[in-house]
Amino acid sequence: MSSKPTFFTPGPSQLYPTVENHIKEALEQNIPSISHRSPQYIEIHKNLVQNLQKVFSIPDSFTFFVGGSATQFMERAIQNCVEETSFHFVNGSFSRRFQEISRDLGKNSLQIKVPLGETFDFDNIEIPEEVELITFTSCETSTGVEFPTEEIYKIADRYPDKLIAVDAVSSAPYYDLDFSKIDIMVFSVQKGFGMPAGLGVAVVSERAVEKSKQILAKGVSVGSYNSFPLILGKAREFQTLETPNVLGVYLLNKVLEDMLEYGIQKIRQETLEKANLIYSYFENHPKFSPYIEDKSARSKTVVVIKYEKPKEVLENLKKYNFIIGGGYGEEKDTQFRIANFPSNSIAKVQELMDKFKEIYG
Ligand SMILES: *Cc1c(COP(=O)(O)O)cnc(C)c1O
């Protein structure tokens, strides 16, 4: 048994295996003290953008904004791309947050809402004419429901004049989006990238930037802090307006390099294999069951399991240095969650499942 715990929590989570060394190197190179206007910083930021383009196959026309969290960029997306009406697919706490942000900014925030743990009736979706931006949550981290990319693309094709925003926080880099179909992707780094929290990224299309300029030109506020028109110039110079999380930018660039070297397709393939290991144990167990009944709606990156005494499971596993996640939201007392992020290898996941077998049969 190793002396260090392994985190299977859905964020913050297990650090990517190379992060510890990258932090040491960053300190040796005084990265946290360098100026965010220095050529050294600009070079790191530029490499980060290039590596993001590679990992997600993002066209050159997209702009990359770097900030403090995904939530910040969810708000920026609404503020900059919605003059009056937004539309949200709501099936849990995180997708609801997107809708609430819009509501709290005084927008008309329309939604389709389904019960927790369920997916949407994709054959019967109607989005009103006046909607400017549609938001999707790729993995609803509170319930473990995945939003299929094909369904996002179908909606994008049906409503070509509407902007599409995707919260990919707990599914990136597994979730592979077609950027010809979407306008905004937001993510942060403490989940699938296995990094310390405190860095968020928004990838934004020209169309979305244009929309924010149009709203501003009408005399409607698009906010001040990190509004798209305000930070566009800086982003294109590989900088930020405020002082960024320089260490985070450095680390994300390094982690992306490592992931590209390991092979991003291999990471995605292994995510599927690990998800199979986890789900197949719980599907076949008399006491546990996957929270989501519809197999096709189950997230590969956040697995939610129904069990009457989740705290006991967390405590039992902790004794063996496995830290798994508790439930989240309304049904948290009858659930636990297991994150399936790239930081934990197939062998580690196998160890976790062996431990479950040993304790629960
Ligand atoms: C964790 C999470 C967020 C919030 O990310 P922050 O970095 O804390 O802003 C948003 N959406 C989803 C789906 C998440 O899992």
Side-chain angles (χ1 to χ4, degrees):
M1 193 177 84
S2 65
S3 57
K4 272 188 164 187
T6 305
F7 288 81
F8 285 88
T9 40
S13 196
Q14 180 68 23
L15 291 183
Y16 198 67
T18 56
V19 164
E20 192 175 327
N21 267 331
H22 289 318
I23 292 176
K24 282 185 192 148
E25 278 173 20
L27 294 176
E28 277 163 21
Q29 295 175 35
N30 299 308
I31 295 296
S33 304
I34 67 170
S35 163
H36 57 296
R37 303 290 174 226
S38 65
Q40 190 185 359
Y41 173 79
I42 293 170
E43 186 64 22
I44 295 168
H45 192 130
K46 187 176 172 182
N47 288 337
L48 169 64
V49 168
Q50 288 169 348
N51 284 323
L52 284 170
Q53 285 179 318
K54 283 185 205 159
V55 165
F56 292 105
S57 308
I58 303 171
D60 285 338
S61 58
F62 280 74
T63 304
F64 295 75
F65 297 127
V66 169
S69 68
T71 309
Q72 181 202 138
F73 282 122
M74 288 158 75
E75 186 177 75
R76 294 294 86 79
I78 302 288
Q79 212 166 20
N80 282 271
C81 297
V82 183
E83 187 185 344
E84 289 177 355
T85 309
S86 59
F87 190 95
H88 310 271
F89 284 86
V90 177
N91 60 348
S93 306
F94 291 95
S95 47
R96 189 170 60 226
R97 189 173 295 166
F98 230 147
Q99 182 266 327
E100 288 169 347
I101 288 171
S102 185
R103 181 199 65 195
D104 293 349
L105 287 171
K107 314 291 180 188
N108 182 24
S109 58
L110 308 177
Q111 55 178 313
I112 296 186
K113 196 172 172 183
V114 294
L116 296 178
E118 287 182 23
T119 191
F120 301 91
D121 177 8
F122 294 114
D123 296 330
N124 291 298
I125 284 162
E126 286 302 326
I127 296 176
E129 176 74 32
E130 66 270 24
V131 169
E132 298 151 88
L133 174 83
I134 310 172
T135 74
F136 300 90
T137 305
S138 57
C139 166
E140 174 46 78
T141 318
S142 63
T143 60
V145 176
E146 183 169 290
F147 207 111
T149 47
E150 319 84 69
E151 298 299 338
I152 296 179
Y153 305 155
K154 274 190 218 158
I155 293 165
D157 287 341
R158 263 179 74 196
Y159 301 100
D161 62 320
K162 305 192 191 310
L163 296 170
I164 305 286
V166 181
D167 167 359
V169 176
S170 63
S171 55
Y174 164 73
Y175 205 70
D176 192 12
L177 282 162
D178 177 351
F179 280 80
S180 71
K181 305 280 187 192
I182 71 161
D183 295 283
I184 298 176
M185 174 178 80
V186 301
F187 68 89
S188 44
V189 297
Q190 71 277 20
K191 303 190 186 180
F193 292 98
M195 277 178 48
L199 183 71
V201 175
V203 185
V204 179
S205 72
E206 276 179 315
R207 218 161 67 118
V209 170
E210 277 314 306
K211 173 80 181 180
S212 70
K213 288 180 180 169
Q214 282 165 19
I215 296 176
L216 189 61
K218 285 186 182 175
V220 178
S221 172
V222 290
S224 65
Y225 182 66
N226 277 349
S227 77
F228 294 169
L230 203 61
I231 57 176
L232 189 64
K234 280 274 175 272
R236 292 193 174 154
E237 292 167 4
F238 308 106
Q239 295 180 57
T240 52
L241 201 59
E242 80 280 33
T243 317
N245 177 350
V246 176
L247 179 62
V249 170
Y250 172 92
L251 290 176
L252 180 57
N253 180 46
K254 289 288 179 191
V255 168
L256 292 171
E257 274 175 12
D258 297 335
M259 287 182 165
L260 284 164
E261 195 181 293
Y262 188 79
I264 195 71
Q265 290 313 333
K266 193 171 166 196
I267 287 175
R268 289 177 179 140
Q269 182 54 39
E270 288 182 357
T271 300
L272 283 174
E273 286 176 40
K274 292 185 293 177
N276 281 339
L277 279 175
I278 301 169
Y279 279 116
S280 63
Y281 171 77
F282 292 109
E283 275 168 6
N284 296 312
H285 197 280
K287 289 192 194 141
F288 299 112
S289 57
Y291 175 59
I292 297 149
E293 281 167 28
D294 176 358
K295 277 193 183 183
S296 66
R298 289 177 190 163
S299 164
K300 307 297 181 290
T301 52
V302 179
V303 177
V304 181
I305 301 299
K306 211 158 87 177
Y307 184 62
E308 54 192 19
K309 288 178 277 180
K311 285 206 177 97
E312 167 217 284
V313 178
L314 266 65
E315 277 162 24
N316 278 338
L317 285 153
K318 197 173 170 209
K319 289 180 203 151
Y320 299 95
N321 274 333
F322 289 113
I323 314 296
I324 62 167
Y328 192 105
E330 288 88 334
E331 296 183 47
K332 68 176 191 306
D333 292 335
T334 52
Q335 293 169 347
F336 58 88
R337 297 178 301 160
I338 298 176
N340 177 26
F341 297 147
S343 300
N344 289 322
S345 63
I346 296 182
K348 262 291 167 209
V349 171
Q350 189 63 63
E351 262 181 57
L352 173 72
M353 300 324 296
D354 287 347
K355 193 51 73 182
F356 263 102
K357 264 174 226 156
E358 200 181 300
I359 303 172
Y360 291 100

